[in-house]
Amino acid sequence: MKSHAMCSNMVRCLGDGNTSLQKLATSIVFFFCLSDVSCNSVEQKIYVELNNTVPCVRLLNATHQIGCQSSISGDTGVIHVLESEADLEWPLSKGPNPPYMVLLESSLFTRSIMMKMKNESNRVAGVAVVVPNTSPPEFSPHTTCPNENTGVYSDNYGPNLAHCNTTVWNPRGNGLSYEEFDFPVFSLKEDNETEFIKQCYLDHNRAVNGSAPQYPLCAMQLFSHMHAVTNTPTCMRRNDINFSINPEMVCDPLGDYNVWGSIRPYNDTVFGHKENESVVIAAARLDSRAFFWEVSTGAEGSVSGFVTLLAAAQALREVTHEAPPTRNILFAFFQGETFDYIGSSRMVYDMENGKFVIDLDNIHSVLEIGQVAVHSGTNLFLHSDPVSRRNNTVNDEVREELFSSFFVFLLVEPNVSQPLPPSSLQRFLRAQPIPGIVLADHESAFNNRYYESFYDNAANLNLTYPSDLSPEEQLEFVTDTAKSLTDVATVVARALYKQAGGNESLVNNIKADPKIVTQMLYGFLVSSNNSWFQACHKHTGRYGVLGYLGLHCFVFFCLLEPSPPEYYYLLANLTGAATNLTQSQCQKPDELPNESRQMYSYLWVQGIVPPNSTERDSFCVRASVRLTKAVSPAFELGEYASKDYSTWTESRWKFIKARIFLVASRDLEMLTLGVGVAVLFTSLLVTYFISTKADVLFSSTREPASAAY
Amino acid sequence: MTAAVFFGCAFIAFGPAFSLFIFTIAKDPLRVIILIAGAFFWLVSLLLSSLVWFIATKATNAQDLTLQKNLLIFGSIFSVILQEVFRFAYYRLLRKANEGLAAISEEDGPPLSVREMAYVAGLGFGIMSGAFSMINTLSDSLGPGTVGMFGDSQYYFITSALMTLALTMLHTFWGVVFFEGCERKRWWVIAVVLCVHLMVFSLSLLNPFYVGSILPVYAIMLLMAVWAFFSSGGSLHNITLLWTCRKSNTETSS
């Protein structure tokens, strides 16, 4: 960035010099700034770009739009740092320079303050929330009853259990994520940029002794214009308008891929019901969300669950090779469960319509791993659906086989009349009464204090490492959290093996590996750019954004083949087998006699670097692991106003940025304009006058041509 | 700083040049050509001097701020000298062209006197110089923000425009005086013009102390205006003549 440094040197050297200096500088700045995109010295004196900001974006469903929107040329407001809730009356009513850009500490980011600002939104240009490094006592922007309209409980099925009438699952939820704001809301980190903003506010915007602050005032401008409006049917209709060669898309359906794997492989081309096939499904969810875009890690909400299931899958690998159980075990990882069960509803839909390798009738039972970050005590709770339990045959299976499969933890069955928590099992039950259990660490309401929030991170799981470790050592260090999750994984693996009718005497040999669990926790919660993930992956590329529902259509372009997610490679590595195939054979295994791409997936992974060389030990992994599309059936069927399936879409936008600057008073601007107009008119008059009288004034212009030249 | 400031500063900086162009230059295509060529000559002089500065900065340490500032000052002085050199070169070119134009013109004698060419050439230099000073700043004045975050004065835009206005007019007057001096073989005029140009440049270094830079520059501009008036054939007698003519006109017409 040498040329950029030169440009900033230019700024300091110039002061604001004019005449020759500025002419020279302008030409030079233009000259060698052809290579540097933004090298405008006056612009650097005015604007400070904010780089570490995260916006809140707009999402739409069949009936509503949620999220935030700015105007197309950005929203500008005078910065006001809010000190308390009572201080709100300055931006909302008392302040003399509306609109205001309100800067909030995270402790003030509450529902009441946001709703007050929403009601007076003509005086509020936007909100910036400073997110600290330490979490508040509790915060959940999600609703109190997640996915209440797309679960299994409705007016027809357990009406007294629907809409959280008996148990409120997320009592701390304030529902902010599902409100609509017509001003932009950005989040800032607690760093130098935010300090600079606060300093700017203190220097220019403070009212001294009740009098209005003097111009120039410090202001902020936020750009986050969203293209989609109203609801999903509207934006999908606008997507289809074909006016030009490059049609502008305004929104994209949320969706990604589900990952599933099985002990015994299935032929990927044979769909529908399979005779005499009985499958135990072990499910977990992959995704989470937050109020702001893409900053969700979902440590307790989702990572605890799927890491446990991945570890259980790995624990079962050996014993199922030695003594295969009677029933097959299918590990399913669902994407998009936060947004009305996108992944699980799609899998159920595929099963119902014969587009999946098995059928709903093939399912013996379902074991789902919910939020299992066991914080205190050793209790795990087995939730089941009371309505389907009333059916006696289902009741017997649930009672005898599932409940007897657990040990180690104190397993408790909550109150018989409590409904299932929000889980993918509910979508299976919507289709057919299937015995199922959801394993969780909460008896009724969630223990997670930061459900679907940006604070649900490694600290929420008490994931702490000793301070003197290098990143490689941290990767290998087995934390207490990892140990407790490993125990849960062992329990799950043993239960699954027994469920699937395996050899009882071998059950005690099944143990999950704490090293794998801690490596996964490190990779998903601390740093995904570590050696183990790199060894499992096919290239050292981007690992995508973990947790947030990956859209493979971004602002302007759609990736033709989205890169398979981390979990896919992990599941393949943990349950598959290494082979001797070369890289070209790995890409075309059908040419070999014993290998078949229909039965297995073949992945070329990088492998680890052996101690004495620099080349990676790459190899081909063969695993019965597949990706299936996780886009809501509503988009397949074209029913954008569907009440049965998820209809969530995310709006598109052109650019998102934020900057701060000083604004001048209206009086000075008008003075400038007035002076300019006066100068123009005066010069027009004077010039006209002089030019008409030029022959009088410059009398010697008409000298004869023979003057001395 | 929004559209009001944009238009205000644009009118301040380019208003007089615009009105001069409309009323005196636009009617005559030959004058337009000389204006554009003058602007081009100024542009070439700036390009060459900036090349020198560019090479100098690339060859030295970019982190040394005082050295860079000194290089900038050196480069600017070199640019001032080069501009005057190009003004002289343009004078020679116009003299040569004048003979050719006289040969092909329908009237007896050259279509443009040297005085007219001097004025047009000066205005050409002034317009191009003003454009380079101001256009960049004008484009930034359209946005919502104003200068001042890092301690600069909030009157930056207005003072830039005023300075540009002064510079445009100064170039015009220098053109008149310079050509007249060359005609009469008074070489000290060239030296004086060069010195005044350097003085204006060094006054601009005083920014943001605007009282110390803008007021003296405007004073110099007024002095140069008077000098240019006298050297292009005006006199006090003509002004009194103008006044009495108007008086008699109003008397006769009323």
Side-chain angles (χ1 to χ4, degrees):
Chain A
M1 294 302 278
K2 205 169 164 214
S3 55
H4 205 82
M6 292 197 103
C7 291
S8 46
N9 287 345
M10 289 286 309
V11 174
R12 282 181 218 113
C13 288
L14 271 185
D16 49 352
N18 280 309
T19 67
S20 331
L21 257 179
Q22 189 155 357
K23 291 183 309 230
L24 189 60
T26 318
S27 65
I28 284 138
V29 162
F30 178 69
F31 204 103
F32 73 93
C33 283
L34 294 175
S35 57
D36 199 321
V37 174
S38 68
C39 200
N40 187 334
S41 50
V42 179
E43 194 178 352
Q44 284 176 351
K45 287 192 209 218
I46 304 178
Y47 301 108
V48 176
E49 299 283 336
L50 302 175
N51 292 325
N52 298 332
T53 55
V54 185
C56 126
V57 299
R58 175 174 275 176
L59 294 153
L60 307 103
N61 71 357
T63 47
H64 289 88
Q65 57 181 11
I66 65 173
C68 319
Q69 165 78 308
S70 83
S71 57
I72 195 160
S73 53
D75 281 319
T76 312
V78 174
I79 297 179
H80 179 74
V81 175
L82 203 68
E83 282 147 25
S84 63
E85 186 152 355
D87 197 21
L88 254 186
E89 63 172 6
W90 179 264
L92 294 187
S93 49
K94 265 176 42 183
N97 318 107
Y100 284 93
M101 186 73 67
V102 181
L103 199 75
L104 295 174
E105 298 291 328
S106 69
S107 55
L108 291 168
F109 185 50
T110 59
R111 188 182 172 85
S112 67
I113 290 184
M114 291 299 287
M115 286 297 122
K116 281 188 192 160
M117 288 200 280
K118 179 178 165 171
N119 288 336
E120 289 283 338
S121 61
N122 54 331
R123 279 184 67 106
V124 175
V127 175
V129 179
V130 180
V131 175
N133 296 329
T134 55
S135 312
E138 61 179 36
F139 180 76
S140 171
H142 208 77
T143 48
T144 49
C145 198
N147 291 345
E148 60 182 309
N149 294 322
T150 41
V152 69
Y153 300 110
S154 62
D155 295 332
N156 301 330
Y157 188 103
N160 54 322
L161 303 169
H163 303 297
C164 293
N165 279 336
T166 40
T167 317
V168 177
W169 295 110
N170 187 26
R172 301 174 187 90
N174 55 27
L176 273 179
S177 290
Y178 289 84
E179 289 291 334
E180 183 200 343
F181 298 102
D182 58 2
F183 46 76
V185 181
F186 276 53
S187 88
L188 308 167
K189 292 206 193 82
E190 227 176 35
D191 57 3
N192 289 341
E193 263 181 13
T194 315
E195 274 312 304
F196 185 77
I197 298 173
K198 287 184 187 164
Q199 191 58 42
C200 186
Y201 166 76
L202 289 171
D203 289 339
H204 295 101
N205 292 11
R206 292 281 262 180
V208 178
N209 289 341
S211 64
Q214 294 288 319
Y215 275 98
L217 295 175
C218 200
M220 193 191 298
Q221 187 175 33
L222 299 178
F223 294 82
S224 68
H225 180 71
M226 302 285 140
H227 293 171
V229 283
T230 322
N231 54 29
T232 296
T234 308
C235 88
M236 294 304 284
R237 186 186 74 225
R238 290 184 186 179
N239 275 347
D240 286 336
I241 296 177
N242 289 326
F243 273 153
S244 67
I245 301 174
N246 292 331
E248 283 262 328
M249 302 277 281
V250 291
C251 69
D252 299 298
L254 286 180
D256 194 39
Y257 285 86
N258 292 328
V259 180
W260 69 265
S262 56
I263 303 278
R264 289 200 300 266
Y266 283 117
N267 190 334
D268 201 30
T269 52
V270 177
F271 296 141
H273 185 77
K274 292 200 157 50
E275 284 299 322
N276 298 334
E277 184 80 14
S278 179
V279 181
V280 174
I281 293 190
R285 76 175 232 205
L286 290 173
D287 68 313
S288 57
R289 70 166 298 206
F291 182 80
F292 297 105
W293 184 58
E294 269 196 3
V295 286
S296 57
T297 38
E300 186 172 340
S302 55
V303 174
S304 60
F306 75 75
V307 162
T308 308
L309 192 57
L310 281 170
Q314 193 269 339
L316 281 171
R317 176 164 71 175
E318 279 207 30
V319 71
T320 49
H321 279 307
E322 285 174 20
T326 1
R327 302 188 186 99
N328 201 355
I329 305 178
L330 189 134
F331 302 100
F333 295 88
F334 295 117
Q335 184 72 278
E337 298 300 275
T338 323
F339 292 105
D340 290 338
Y341 306 120
I342 296 177
S344 52
S345 66
R346 181 56 187 259
M347 184 172 274
V348 170
Y349 172 81
D350 286 343
M351 286 182 183
E352 281 174 325
N353 292 304
K355 294 187 190 151
F356 194 65
V357 292
I358 55 171
D359 185 292
L360 284 168
D361 295 321
N362 289 122
I363 301 179
H364 171 263
S365 53
V366 176
L367 172 64
E368 180 167 345
I369 321 289
Q371 303 180 69
V372 289
V374 188
H375 285 295
S376 55
T378 50
N379 287 357
L380 277 180
F381 298 90
L382 311 173
H383 296 265
S384 57
D385 173 40
V387 175
S388 60
R389 263 211 317 259
R390 286 185 216 131
N391 180 351
N392 271 334
T393 55
V394 176
N395 198 2
D396 291 338
E397 291 185 45
V398 164
R399 290 211 156 286
E400 288 170 22
E401 294 206 17
L402 286 175
F403 285 162
S404 66
S405 304
F406 286 91
F407 351 76
V408 177
F409 280 91
L410 183 63
L411 298 164
V412 180
E413 200 185 337
N415 191 343
V416 174
S417 63
Q418 184 169 264
L420 275 179
S423 52
S424 317
L425 176 58
Q426 289 200 19
R427 293 300 301 197
F428 284 90
L429 286 173
R430 255 173 101 116
Q432 193 160 308
I434 297 177
I437 288 246
V438 176
L439 192 65
D441 66 350
H442 52 88
E443 181 169 9
S444 54
F446 293 154
N447 287 338
N448 191 353
R449 289 171 297 156
Y450 310 109
Y451 185 63
E452 309 290 20
S453 141
F454 36 88
Y455 297 116
D456 193 3
N457 50 19
N460 192 22
L461 282 183
N462 287 335
L463 201 67
T464 49
Y465 297 92
S467 50
D468 52 344
L469 295 182
S470 71
E472 275 307 306
E473 287 165 358
Q474 280 183 354
L475 177 68
E476 309 277 327
F477 181 79
V478 180
T479 53
D480 293 333
T481 320
K483 285 185 195 142
S484 69
L485 281 183
T486 313
D487 292 335
V488 179
T490 307
V491 166
V492 167
R494 291 179 183 180
L496 282 173
Y497 189 66
K498 279 192 66 178
Q499 255 315 97
N503 190 343
E504 292 267 345
S505 58
L506 294 175
V507 166
N508 284 338
N509 298 342
I510 302 174
K511 280 198 177 58
D513 187 357
K515 249 191 83 183
I516 292 190
V517 172
T518 195
Q519 282 175 329
M520 282 197 282
L521 283 177
Y522 182 82
F524 287 116
L525 294 176
V526 179
S527 159
S528 64
N529 193 10
N530 58 63
S531 59
W532 190 58
F533 273 21
Q534 285 173 2
C536 292
H537 216 262
K538 75 172 176 212
H539 52 66
T540 50
R542 305 179 299 118
Y543 294 100
V545 182
L546 298 169
Y548 186 76
L549 196 51
L551 298 180
H552 55 270
C553 277
F554 296 105
V555 178
F556 273 126
F557 57 93
C558 290
L559 298 174
L560 293 171
E561 260 310 303
S563 58
E566 209 51 56
Y567 341 99
Y568 178 61
Y569 279 92
L570 276 182
L571 188 62
N573 273 294
L574 294 174
T575 57
T579 61
N580 290 336
L581 277 63
T582 62
Q583 189 167 6
S584 53
Q585 285 174 331
C586 203
Q587 282 163 355
K588 291 198 176 89
D590 293 319
E591 294 164 6
L592 297 167
N594 291 337
E595 313 286 357
S596 159
R597 192 177 258 179
Q598 289 174 349
M599 301 297 284
Y600 295 98
S601 292
Y602 293 85
L603 306 171
W604 184 255
V605 299
Q606 286 202 96
I608 55 171
V609 183
N612 286 338
S613 83
T614 50
E615 285 286 310
R616 285 191 180 265
D617 225 354
S618 308
F619 58 96
C620 187
V621 166
R622 176 186 63 213
S624 57
V625 169
R626 302 275 181 205
L627 287 175
T628 58
K629 259 182 98 163
V631 176
S632 169
F635 296 100
E636 297 290 313
L637 299 167
E639 289 168 17
Y640 304 130
S642 164
K643 288 193 178 38
D644 301 321
Y645 298 112
S646 163
T647 48
W648 286 103
T649 53
E650 185 185 73
S651 167
R652 286 209 186 180
W653 57 86
K654 283 254 163 64
F655 52 79
I656 289 188
K657 56 180 187 174
R659 57 185 183 178
I660 61 170
F661 44 85
L662 293 185
V663 283
S665 65
R666 198 99 186 109
D667 298 336
L668 183 61
E669 295 177 5
M670 287 304 145
L671 175 73
T672 313
L673 183 63
V675 169
V677 170
V679 164
L680 181 67
F681 275 124
T682 316
S683 62
L684 282 170
L685 281 172
V686 169
T687 312
Y688 177 71
F689 180 67
I690 293 182
S691 70
T692 47
K693 303 286 181 208
D695 49 349
V696 175
L697 278 174
F698 304 104
S699 57
S700 35
T701 8
R702 293 287 164 88
E703 273 180 17
S706 56
Y709 278 142
Chain B
M1 252 175 83
T2 72
V5 172
F6 173 76
F7 282 112
C9 288
F11 290 159
I12 293 176
F14 298 117
F18 175 70
S19 54
L20 282 172
F21 180 81
I22 292 184
F23 287 120
T24 60
I25 310 242
K27 300 179 302 229
D28 189 358
L30 197 53
R31 291 188 187 186
V32 174
I33 293 172
I34 295 182
L35 182 87
I36 306 269
F40 177 71
F41 265 69
W42 185 89
L43 204 54
V44 172
S45 82
L46 186 70
L47 183 68
L48 290 177
S49 52
S50 66
L51 208 60
V52 168
W53 176 87
F54 182 64
I55 294 173
T57 48
K58 284 293 186 198
T60 58
N61 181 14
Q63 305 301 324
D64 188 357
L65 289 181
T66 45
L67 178 65
Q68 295 301 319
K69 176 154 186 174
N70 292 338
L71 273 180
L72 196 60
I73 294 179
F74 155 72
S76 304
I77 294 177
F78 183 69
S79 169
V80 165
I81 295 172
L82 207 59
Q83 283 174 42
E84 300 305 328
V85 166
F86 269 72
R87 208 194 295 271
F88 184 71
Y90 196 42
Y91 164 73
R92 296 300 300 263
L93 180 71
L94 282 177
R95 281 297 308 278
K96 273 194 128 82
N98 217 8
E99 293 162 14
L101 284 172
I104 62 168
S105 116
E106 289 163 359
E107 302 164 14
D108 274 337
L112 280 183
S113 77
V114 178
R115 285 209 181 109
E116 287 165 3
M117 288 196 295
Y119 155 68
V120 173
L123 187 61
F125 268 49
I127 288 180
M128 199 43 137
S129 153
F132 258 72
S133 294
M134 202 58 200
I135 296 287
N136 209 7
T137 318
L138 270 183
S139 78
D140 286 318
S141 70
L142 262 181
T146 185
V147 176
M149 181 78 86
F150 297 103
D152 308 296
S153 159
Q154 56 165 332
Y155 300 108
Y156 180 80
F157 290 118
I158 295 190
T159 52
S160 298
L162 288 171
M163 206 62 163
T164 305
L165 166 63
L167 197 61
T168 307
M169 301 313 295
L170 273 171
H171 268 290
T172 315
F173 302 143
W174 285 331
V176 171
V177 163
F178 192 97
F179 277 37
E180 195 63 28
C182 291
E183 276 294 290
R184 308 241 182 270
K185 304 270 188 281
R186 292 179 194 157
W187 306 114
W188 55 269
V189 169
I190 299 180
V192 169
V193 165
L194 183 64
C195 286
V196 175
H197 196 163
L198 283 172
M199 195 184 339
V200 168
F201 154 70
S202 51
L203 280 173
S204 78
L205 284 174
L206 286 178
N207 281 331
F209 179 51
Y210 294 124
V211 175
S213 70
I214 296 212
L215 293 179
V217 167
Y218 270 77
I220 292 177
M221 182 178 93
L222 284 171
L223 287 172
M224 292 297 312
V226 168
W227 186 8
F229 176 68
F230 281 119
S231 82
S232 62
S235 61
L236 285 172
H237 174 67
N238 289 345
I239 297 181
T240 51
L241 210 65
L242 190 71
W243 189 245
T244 52
C245 259
R246 278 188 71 209
K247 255 183 86 175
S248 63
N249 272 344
T250 52
E251 277 173 7
T252 50
S253 61
S254 64

